[in-house]
Amino acid sequence: MSKVTIKDVARESGVSISTVSNALNGVDVLNPATKDHILEVAKRLNYVPNLNGKLLKSGESKMLGFLTTSISGPYFYVLAEAMARMSEKLGYGFSIVIAKDKQVILSNILGRRVDGVIIFEELMIDDNDVATMEKEQVHAVFLDRVIQKETMGSVIFDSYFSGYEAAKYLISLGHQKIAYIAGVDTMYDSVQRQKGYLAALEEHHFEVDEDYILQGYFEEEGSYNAVKTFIHLHQEKVPDAFLAGNDLSAIGCIKALKSEGYQVPDDISVMGFDDINLAQYFSPPLTTVKNQIARQGRLAIEHLVQMIQREEKGKIQMLKGEIVVRHSSSLKLDKDFVWKAAAAEK
């Protein structure tokens, strides 16, 4: 069965194609009875308007795109869901493009297939690409990358401050040998969290041991293996606390410590980042830094649509983390620490 066209509706209604178009688009030039008749015929024939043609004429797709290298893991589930819901609320469709090939990425950004894009910072978008996007007036919001142009903005989680505060929290519990499980060296939030951690150690005059920087790649399995390897190689200097770059890394760390006979937090405290849904249900429930993932997604979509609709220019929005204390961290009962703490209070 062939698809019903606007010509079919016009013929069945006994009017011209332009009259049918006016009726379907709500143009207020028709007799109400004529308009009602046309709409009744269109409904009876199951006519579906050619939305693509209509949008092409207006120069809009009413679609937003999210470009990323991956959507695996709890972080992306929450982020993508929040962006999709906000897009729908604002009258836009939402599509996800997963790609690592630069030409595919640029084709989606510059090809006008969507009205605007959300770009995850790990993508290979360099300064020359940003300059091209600016010249082409592409509307874009970058996640966790500082960009501010007329048609481009950023929504950033303040990972440096959060890494600093997280390390300070562990220090406040009396921990002096704090290891860090890093994510991916090329990612903004991974680098910034590690810098914050190092800044806190330096501020408290702790010696930085390079062996205490483990590579977990933001993965449970990668962190599990990194911690197991560290313990086997450095049994004499097992840390009294681990700060993990995200919650999956913290969970992998705890599993590795348990497999080696350590108790968390009695022997070693563990702290993560993001506060994914699983964090509160894991055993022990995870102390972490809450990342406002859903809010970041909603703000990104809101800002993108406002730029598309010329309501505002690109801007940078910074979100702060919040420490959520649960049972994977505890006070280190060290007599020397307690004595120092008591002396400092006097």
Side-chain angles (χ1 to χ4, degrees):
M1 183 177 178
S2 61
K3 182 179 179 180
V4 176
T5 68
I6 194 170
K7 291 181 180 180
D8 298 323
V9 177
R11 184 169 54 251
E12 184 72 15
S13 303
V15 297
S16 67
I17 291 175
S18 62
T19 301
V20 173
S21 178
N22 286 336
L24 295 174
N25 290 306
V27 179
D28 193 20
V29 296
L30 299 178
N31 182 295
T34 302
K35 179 179 178 181
D36 290 343
H37 170 65
I38 294 170
L39 294 178
E40 189 279 326
V41 171
K43 182 178 180 180
R44 175 162 48 83
L45 295 179
N46 294 317
Y47 171 68
V48 178
N50 186 349
L51 183 61
N52 287 334
K54 181 180 178 181
L55 292 176
L56 283 173
K57 289 180 182 178
S58 70
E60 296 181 340
S61 68
K62 298 301 288 186
M63 288 290 297
L64 306 177
F66 174 43
L67 302 177
T68 179
T69 57
S70 170
I71 57 168
S72 64
Y75 172 88
F76 284 107
Y77 297 157
V78 174
L79 182 68
E81 175 72 11
M83 290 193 294
R85 288 186 178 277
M86 181 55 69
S87 297
E88 182 180 14
K89 180 180 178 181
L90 298 178
Y92 286 80
F94 181 75
S95 64
I96 299 175
V97 177
I98 303 171
K100 293 185 179 180
D101 184 281
K102 188 165 185 175
Q103 291 307 311
V104 173
I105 295 166
L106 291 177
S107 175
N108 277 275
I109 292 174
L110 302 173
R112 302 297 180 182
R113 300 174 186 177
V114 293
D115 295 337
V117 290
I118 307 292
I119 300 175
F120 189 60
E121 60 91 15
E122 193 181 10
L123 291 175
M124 301 171 289
I125 304 300
D126 58 29
D127 291 342
N128 289 332
D129 301 325
V130 172
T132 301
M133 292 168 61
E134 184 178 16
K135 181 180 178 182
E136 295 294 324
Q137 292 288 287
V138 171
H139 294 100
V141 173
F142 289 80
L143 299 181
D144 291 336
R145 179 177 175 182
V146 180
I147 299 286
Q148 185 176 19
K149 308 289 183 181
E150 184 173 348
T151 62
M152 290 179 272
S154 301
V155 181
I156 300 167
F157 176 68
D158 193 343
S159 286
Y160 176 87
F161 177 78
S162 297
Y164 171 79
E165 288 294 312
K168 274 185 61 177
Y169 168 72
L170 291 173
I171 292 170
S172 76
L173 295 179
H175 300 299
Q176 299 184 38
K177 297 186 294 181
I178 304 170
Y180 181 77
I181 305 177
V184 180
D185 290 342
T186 57
M187 292 180 66
Y188 174 88
D189 53 354
S190 177
V191 172
Q192 292 299 311
R193 289 173 190 184
Q194 183 172 326
K195 284 183 176 180
Y197 151 82
L198 292 172
L201 296 191
E202 182 178 349
E203 182 180 287
H204 288 79
H205 307 293
F206 286 6
E207 183 178 348
V208 177
D209 188 332
E210 290 186 5
D211 290 335
Y212 277 1
I213 309 294
L214 285 63
Q215 206 74 40
Y217 304 103
F218 283 155
E219 299 171 350
E220 180 182 327
E221 183 178 0
S223 299
Y224 176 90
N225 292 332
V227 172
K228 292 270 287 188
T229 300
F230 177 90
I231 291 173
H232 291 166
L233 293 177
H234 305 288
Q235 188 68 48
E236 75 287 353
K237 58 175 183 179
V238 174
D240 48 37
F242 280 92
L243 176 59
N246 70 354
D247 290 340
L248 287 180
S249 296
I251 288 169
C253 173
I254 291 173
K255 288 183 176 180
L257 292 174
K258 287 181 176 179
S259 73
E260 294 294 327
Y262 293 96
Q263 298 296 314
V264 176
D266 295 346
D267 299 323
I268 302 173
S269 288
V270 177
M271 186 172 182
F273 275 90
D274 291 337
D275 194 26
I276 61 176
N277 289 336
L278 180 59
Q280 61 184 311
Y281 302 113
F282 191 69
S283 180
L286 193 61
T287 294
T288 184
V289 179
K290 185 176 183 63
N291 181 354
Q292 302 178 66
I293 303 171
R295 183 161 183 254
Q296 185 179 31
R298 291 192 296 270
L299 286 175
I301 293 295
E302 285 179 334
H303 184 36
L304 182 59
V305 171
Q306 286 168 343
M307 287 192 294
I308 292 170
Q309 297 178 352
R310 306 292 196 274
E311 294 177 0
E312 65 181 22
K313 295 181 180 180
K315 62 184 180 182
I316 297 171
Q317 299 178 77
M318 186 78 73
L319 299 178
K320 295 287 187 181
E322 177 184 343
I323 293 177
V324 180
V325 178
R326 297 195 180 100
H327 302 312
S328 68
S329 60
S330 68
L331 184 69
K332 179 175 172 57
L333 298 178
D334 184 291
K335 292 181 180 179
D336 185 50
F337 170 75
V338 173
W339 179 83
K340 288 179 180 178
E345 290 179 358
K346 293 181 178 178

